[in-house]
Amino acid sequence: MPSADLHDWNLAPREAIALQTRLAGYVERADRLEPVRRIAGVDIGFEQGGEITRAAVVVLAWPPQASGESEPATLEPATLEIVEQVVHREPTRMPYVPGLLSFREVPAALAAFERLTMTPQLVMVDGQGIAHPRRIGVASHLGLWLDLPTIGVAKSRLCGRHTEPGPERGDWTPLVDGPDDEVIGAVLRSRVKVKPIFVSPGHRVSLATAIDWVTRCLGRTKLPEPTRLADRLASRRGERR
DNA sequence: GCGACAG
DNA sequence: ATCTTGTCGC
């Protein structure tokens, strides 16, 4: 893989696209992960009309801690315990351009990761993985730079075609793209009667494994816990005092 | 030329 | 993404 110092984050669209095309060749779509004990969720938010970028990383312990029998039975899914969380703020450097999201968000995410005291074995990113025009969305790009397994979890579609997934939680249909109908992700029904989410391999994770982990991390909401908690932190919610 | 378009 | 109140539903 190219050394990080060769990566310029302030590129003109034309150069950014050329770099993505080159980096896409390094994205691994086969499973290559260590036993999972910690799963991280990453998301980026903005302040002051977009002047400031906020990167949030939340690390959760796996497997879930068994719900104490003396605790108020909180229904089904066991709670994923937060073992560490970090928020990094910095001036926003690039505008949002569909297809070039990673150049706007990855720098801040990397800075946040540098402040973590523990390393996760798996990372869930808010955005697409290989379900991208050049097969290198923000999740893949971040995974490449962190050299960690990543999964893209997006709330909407960037590219590709698909049919409507079944109504039950866990139902999914393939997201395909290109003239050869290449499978680039899955449209997953994470909650009954709720718009599905788009799951795709980021780096070092197969589609089957990506779907499996996202499903295993589903709590009571539409988004899997790692992404949901990072979302809350990045966008200021959940900060009660 | 006319849409589509992660966050 | 963000600006924002109340409101429908489990």
Side-chain angles (χ1 to χ4, degrees), chain A residues 1-22:
Chain A
M1 177 177 80
S3 57
D5 54 278
L6 292 180
H7 198 309
D8 181 351
W9 295 105
N10 302 315
L11 297 171
R14 184 176 181 73
E15 279 62 47
I17 290 174
L19 179 56
Q20 289 186 322
T21 300
R22 184 158 67 87

Side-chain angles (χ1 to χ4, degrees), chain A residues 8-21 93-104 132 134:
Chain A
D8 181 351
W9 295 105
N10 302 315
L11 297 171
R14 184 176 181 73
E15 279 62 47
I17 290 174
L19 179 56
Q20 289 186 322
T21 300
R93 60 185 75 202
M94 292 190 71
Y96 166 67
V97 178
L100 302 180
L101 180 66
S102 60
F103 293 87
R104 172 177 165 84
H132 174 281
R134 290 166 292 285

Side-chain angles (χ1 to χ4, degrees), chain A residues 46 77 88 128 158 202:
Chain A
F46 300 88
H88 167 77
Q128 314 289 350
L158 171 60

Side-chain angles (χ1 to χ4, degrees), chain A residues 222-239:
Chain A
K222 169 180 177 173
L223 297 174
E225 291 300 276
T227 307
R228 193 205 110 219
L229 294 171
D231 236 84
R232 193 184 62 174
L233 241 193
S235 59
R236 295 230 144 174
R237 288 162 286 173
E239 42 124 78

